[in-house]
Amino acid sequence: MMVYKKRLLGIDSDVQQEANRALVKMAPNLQRRGFLLGSGLGTLSLLSGCSLSDESSVEKALMTVSRFNDRVQGALFSSTALAPTYTPADMTRPFPFNAYYGEEEVVTVDEADYRLELAGLIANKQAWTLDALRALPQEEQITRHVCVEGWSAIGRWGGVRLSNFLQLIGADTTAKYVGFKCADDYYTSIDMATALHPQTLLTLTYDGEVLPPKYGFPMKLRMPTKLGYKNPKHITTLFVANAYTGGYWEDQGYNWFGGI
Ligand SMILES: Nc1nc2c(c(=O)[nH]1)N[C@H]1C(S)=C(S)[C@@H](COP(=O)(O)O)O[C@H]1N2
Ligand SMILES: [Mo]
């Protein structure tokens, strides 16, 4: 759904290609569900029930298909299947930096003032200091981070398993979403099944050291089951909700589920 990142030049070329790519990706899932596929805009218009007469109706239709794709990915997601893990020798050095701004503009968060704020469907909403988070049982993983901009890299992160943390704070784990707000303008949200996946960690370290600013100090959510943009850095608020809240790139057209 990269079509949202650049402006549309013409419905016939860009959007047609984008619709085709989206449909090709979804074809196996759709066929399993008994859809008969045609191609491109005709099918898109059938799937979304929209007549695609202008740019905004095409964008709405693509978003409808993308939200449908979220549900398909959610239904196919396995809570127990593990993403591959690697050895220290496999690590990518240096690990790449990425954000919607350049490395010289990385946000700095003051450790002494930092509190992880909790909101939404959580019984104990007391904020957490970094020391309190560090005192919880920690685990490490060496996994591959995949960015849709065309690179992937293997890194080593350590921190608190999100499912343990959600239990600890009395989160309603029957809710649909766990959302994150960050110290920059970034935000995202994930499905509860992925939040409870054993490899989903609230990380505080990178390669055995306190997470450096560029990799998201003081906290980055790491999910080897999801694309890079679903892994928020500089987390300041964690909330649990049933209402859909999207994300920074998701609201510009990236697929919300963002599975690998
Ligand atoms: N707060 C914040 N988190 C973010 C981003 C961002 O711009 N701001 N970019 C995302 C994207 S697209 C990627 S690929 C990864 C990059 O993480 P890295 O700098 O540790 O490689 O962070 C993700 N999390
Ligand atoms: Mo990314």
Side-chain angles (χ1 to χ4, degrees):
M1 299 287 164
M2 298 289 287
V3 74
Y4 294 89
K5 231 182 156 181
K6 44 187 162 68
R7 289 319 300 157
L8 302 180
L9 296 173
I11 284 177
D12 288 351
S13 52
D14 273 24
V15 177
Q16 179 79 48
Q17 276 175 22
E18 193 57 40
N20 275 329
R21 271 198 296 276
L23 290 164
V24 164
K25 254 187 134 175
M26 293 168 61
N29 299 326
L30 291 172
Q31 272 160 354
R32 216 171 297 152
R33 282 171 159 72
F35 282 88
L36 246 186
L37 289 181
S39 71
L41 284 181
T43 313
L44 183 59
S45 125
L46 260 176
L47 280 176
S48 61
C50 304
S51 74
L52 304 175
S53 49
D54 56 35
E55 188 180 306
S56 85
S57 69
V58 169
E59 292 201 6
K60 268 189 219 128
L62 283 172
M63 195 53 100
T64 303
V65 171
S66 188
R67 296 293 292 134
F68 173 76
N69 195 346
D70 288 338
R71 291 198 294 280
V72 172
Q73 288 186 72
L76 297 176
F77 181 74
S78 163
S79 308
T80 49
L82 297 181
T85 55
Y86 300 86
T87 69
D90 298 323
M91 286 172 63
T92 307
R93 297 182 190 277
F95 191 85
F97 162 85
N98 196 32
Y100 65 87
Y101 42 80
E103 196 171 331
E104 62 295 338
E105 288 170 62
V106 164
V107 295
T108 50
V109 172
D110 183 56
E111 165 147 11
D113 293 346
Y114 178 80
R115 298 286 182 280
L116 173 67
E117 305 288 341
L118 302 180
L121 305 171
I122 293 172
N124 185 352
K125 292 201 190 68
Q126 211 178 302
W128 285 69
T129 63
L130 267 182
D131 281 343
L133 291 164
R134 287 172 183 147
L136 296 175
Q138 309 283 305
E139 46 192 285
E140 280 213 336
Q141 66 183 17
I142 302 178
T143 53
R144 185 184 293 278
H145 173 117
V146 181
C147 175
V148 285
E149 286 174 33
W151 57 271
S152 81
I154 294 172
R156 173 179 165 224
W157 292 270
V160 180
R161 197 187 279 214
L162 181 57
S163 66
N164 293 344
F165 188 67
L166 292 174
Q167 297 297 340
L168 195 61
I169 61 179
D172 176 1
T173 53
T174 67
K176 284 189 186 160
Y177 306 111
V178 179
F180 300 88
K181 295 180 191 167
C182 306
D184 51 10
D185 287 334
Y186 210 74
Y187 60 99
T188 190
S189 54
I190 60 170
D191 53 295
M192 186 59 77
T194 302
L196 299 176
H197 186 277
Q199 288 174 306
T200 297
L201 305 183
L202 281 174
T203 65
L204 304 168
T205 66
Y206 183 76
D207 200 12
E209 308 285 340
V210 171
L211 205 61
K214 63 178 174 175
Y215 299 147
F217 181 84
M219 187 194 282
K220 169 175 177 163
L221 180 70
R222 257 306 288 160
M223 297 170 289
T225 55
K226 282 207 194 293
L227 292 164
Y229 63 87
K230 298 299 299 180
N231 293 241
K233 307 192 282 188
H234 315 290
I235 297 170
T236 53
T237 300
L238 178 159
F239 63 92
V240 175
N242 279 310
Y244 177 78
T245 49
Y248 182 92
W249 288 117
E250 295 89 329
D251 292 348
Q252 299 174 62
Y254 279 26
N255 173 249
W256 176 79
F257 194 87
I260 288 186

